[in-house]
Amino acid sequence: MRVLLVEDDKRIAAFVAKGLRENSYAVDIASDGDEAAYMASINSYDLFILDINLPKKDGFEVCQELRDKGTNQPILMLTARDAIDDRISGLDTGADDYLTKPFVFRELLARLRALLRALLRRNSDIRPSKITIADLEIDTVSQYVWRAGKEIDLTAKEYALIEFLARNKGKVVGREEISEHVWDDSYDPFSNLIEVYVQRLRTKLDRGFAVELITTRRGSGYILDDV
């Protein structure tokens, strides 16, 4: 999952981004409203975490602009304010949830999971919390992966990649699409990083098994399927 975190406090932004990356999210950071609107216009995001008190354009304006442009992805508002009027304003502009600072990071993760589950009910492109492909099982809440009942030890980025491939089961996924959802804007399109991580997954998930689940469509991308 790729997240746009919009927060002008560099300390808070660094803390939240670090925690999200450790939980397999790819994170881009914007420090003001104009930058957030621009980044949302050129990149594809699965979630937005949006502070209200922002320079140039506040969070209410950014949220309204995202919705006016047809963005359907969940938006979580972050703010130090706790007045009921601010919560109402945020929700009225299209936010899905509201979290007051300071907060416990585990609560932020739980709210993001809840938002994705809510999106599941209205968007069939989001898969259930457990994905099964042949004897491969992925728990997207706990982020554990098993093959034939054996737990597979994956890094955060390896997990993010296998979950993205699994959510696109049977579909050829190209490098550009993978980079948009699994990596952030620091990704170098000329690197072979995606190929390296796919090879790591093949080593951990397919080696020693009769059926290889990850295959390459030369010139097109990768596909995860049970046939």
Side-chain angles (χ1 to χ4, degrees):
M1 291 290 175
R2 187 174 180 182
V3 177
L4 178 60
L5 170 62
V6 190
E7 170 61 69
D8 64 324
D9 187 315
K10 293 183 178 180
R11 181 183 60 84
I12 294 175
F15 166 76
V16 173
K18 180 177 183 293
L20 290 174
R21 287 167 181 150
E22 289 173 350
N23 283 272
S24 304
Y25 290 91
V27 185
D28 293 338
I29 301 174
S31 58
D32 62 62
D34 285 346
E35 184 181 17
Y38 172 72
M39 292 179 70
S41 71
I42 63 172
N43 297 313
S44 176
Y45 293 104
D46 302 293
L47 287 165
F48 295 88
I49 302 175
L50 182 61
D51 188 30
I52 287 180
N53 294 319
L54 294 170
K56 299 183 180 179
K57 186 182 296 182
D58 68 27
F60 297 134
E61 294 177 272
V62 176
C63 184
Q64 186 69 64
E65 186 174 323
L66 288 172
R67 293 310 189 208
D68 288 346
K69 290 183 176 180
T71 299
N72 190 46
Q73 281 67 32
I75 298 175
L76 173 67
M77 303 289 276
L78 282 184
T79 181
R81 302 176 183 177
D82 58 4
I84 188 65
D85 287 346
D86 290 327
R87 298 188 185 192
I88 292 172
S89 296
L91 295 172
D92 282 346
T93 55
D96 296 279
D97 200 1
Y98 193 109
L99 186 58
T100 302
K101 297 184 288 189
F103 54 86
V104 177
F105 188 74
R106 287 182 300 155
E107 182 180 3
L108 173 63
L109 290 176
R111 286 176 181 261
L112 294 182
R113 290 194 298 266
L115 288 174
L116 288 172
R117 286 196 296 270
L119 187 61
L120 165 65
R121 292 192 287 269
R122 68 176 187 263
N123 187 344
S124 60
D125 289 337
I126 303 295
R127 298 294 191 265
S129 59
K130 288 191 177 180
I131 306 172
T132 302
I133 301 173
D135 57 356
L136 177 69
E137 297 178 66
I138 301 173
D139 187 322
T140 62
V141 176
S142 66
Q143 298 189 348
Y144 285 110
V145 176
W146 300 267
R147 177 119 198 231
K150 177 186 176 182
E151 184 178 337
I152 307 297
D153 185 23
L154 299 177
T155 66
K157 189 60 70 178
E158 288 167 353
Y159 171 80
L161 178 54
I162 193 62
E163 183 188 322
F164 183 70
L165 292 174
R167 288 193 293 109
N168 290 277
K169 175 182 179 292
K171 174 186 173 184
V172 178
V173 183
R175 295 177 80 259
E176 182 177 355
E177 192 173 357
I178 291 173
S179 68
E180 285 180 351
H181 292 273
V182 181
W183 271 266
D184 54 32
D185 61 359
S186 64
Y187 174 75
D188 179 0
F190 297 104
S191 76
N192 67 338
L193 201 56
I194 291 176
E195 289 80 1
V196 169
Y197 273 89
V198 169
Q199 185 56 44
R200 288 182 184 178
L201 286 179
R202 284 196 172 114
T203 299
K204 293 185 176 184
L205 295 174
D206 282 343
R207 182 173 294 175
F209 293 93
V211 177
E212 294 186 353
L213 300 179
I214 303 173
T215 56
T216 300
R217 294 287 178 86
R218 197 168 297 279
S220 299
Y222 304 97
I223 183 169
L224 178 65
D225 208 349
D226 54 4
V227 293

